[in-house]
Amino acid sequence: LIIADSPGETSKFDLEQILKKILNKSDYEKVKIDWSSTFNKDFNGAQILNLGDNRALLGLEIEGSHWVASFKNINSSDQSLKDGVYFDSYGLLPPANVESAEFDYTPIHLQSYALKENFCGQWCCLFLKYCFDDDLPGFYSKFNNLLNIDLR
């Protein structure tokens, strides 16, 4: 599954382009893409976060390390979306600053470290599309057994 124009590592610009293609304008405007250190548990919308070290503040350019996502919609009919949900395509637990928000997390594995896959940002975009469509169960039912492995 490749939803970007080219496979591999995904930049912030790439994520913005993917989201513009798959989300409507009002949903796209509710997405924040930034470093994980900027995570805001009260943000009503979507956050795509890079777990890398933000050295850009020091004038150093870095690519980042891994994209994850969070979603919260206080108006959702799905309780987990109302309370907040965290997504990592490796199925790993959230970092400490996100874990403290007590969001649900998605315990499914869509990528493997062993296979050195670099589609984490693209998976985040697809996950958020299902969240904005208020269809998290649809995401789980389609992709839950994709790798069928447990890396924890």
Side-chain angles (χ1 to χ4, degrees), residues 1-8 18 119 122-123:
L1 171 73
I2 300 171
I3 57 176
D5 292 332
S6 60
I18 292 168
F119 302 109
Q122 296 175 40
W123 280 116

Side-chain angles (χ1 to χ4, degrees), residues 30-34 38-43 45-49 68-72 103 128:
K30 297 175 191 165
V31 179
K32 179 179 111 174
I33 303 172
D34 211 337
T38 67
F39 171 73
N40 178 351
K41 69 178 180 146
D42 298 318
F43 184 74
Q47 298 176 81
I48 298 180
L49 306 165
V68 297
S70 71
F71 184 86
K72 183 174 184 175
F103 280 20
L128 294 177

Side-chain angles (χ1 to χ4, degrees), residues 29-144:
E29 292 171 352
K30 297 175 191 165
V31 179
K32 179 179 111 174
I33 303 172
D34 211 337
W35 299 97
S36 64
S37 60
T38 67
F39 171 73
N40 178 351
K41 69 178 180 146
D42 298 318
F43 184 74
N44 189 43
Q47 298 176 81
I48 298 180
L49 306 165
N50 194 289
L51 299 181
D53 185 7
N54 187 0
R55 295 186 188 153
L57 294 175
L58 303 174
L60 304 171
E61 290 299 323
I62 61 167
E63 295 296 318
S65 64
H66 176 57
W67 295 107
V68 297
S70 71
F71 184 86
K72 183 174 184 175
N73 179 354
I74 58 173
N75 299 314
S76 175
S77 60
D78 182 321
Q79 191 61 46
S80 65
L81 294 178
K82 188 178 284 193
D83 294 340
V85 64
Y86 171 83
F87 170 77
D88 182 325
S89 59
Y90 290 119
L92 302 175
L93 293 172
N97 65 319
V98 178
E99 188 174 26
S100 66
E102 299 181 2
F103 280 20
D104 286 341
Y105 75 97
T106 56
I108 61 176
H109 305 105
L110 302 174
Q111 294 191 127
S112 166
Y113 279 118
L115 299 176
K116 297 182 181 177
E117 296 170 317
N118 295 314
F119 302 109
C120 53
Q122 296 175 40
W123 280 116
C124 287
C125 292
L126 188 59
F127 169 76
L128 294 177
K129 168 68 174 150
Y130 277 83
C131 289
F132 276 114
D133 289 347
D134 213 19
D135 188 21
L136 195 52
F139 181 82
Y140 291 140
S141 69
K142 275 198 168 112
F143 301 109
N144 194 31

Side-chain angles (χ1 to χ4, degrees), residues 12-38:
K12 180 178 178 179
F13 175 80
D14 294 331
L15 295 176
E16 291 168 344
Q17 297 308 306
I18 292 168
L19 291 168
K20 285 178 183 177
K21 289 179 184 178
I22 65 174
L23 297 178
N24 65 48
K25 186 176 172 37
S26 66
D27 288 344
Y28 174 78
E29 292 171 352
K30 297 175 191 165
V31 179
K32 179 179 111 174
I33 303 172
D34 211 337
W35 299 97
S36 64
S37 60
T38 67

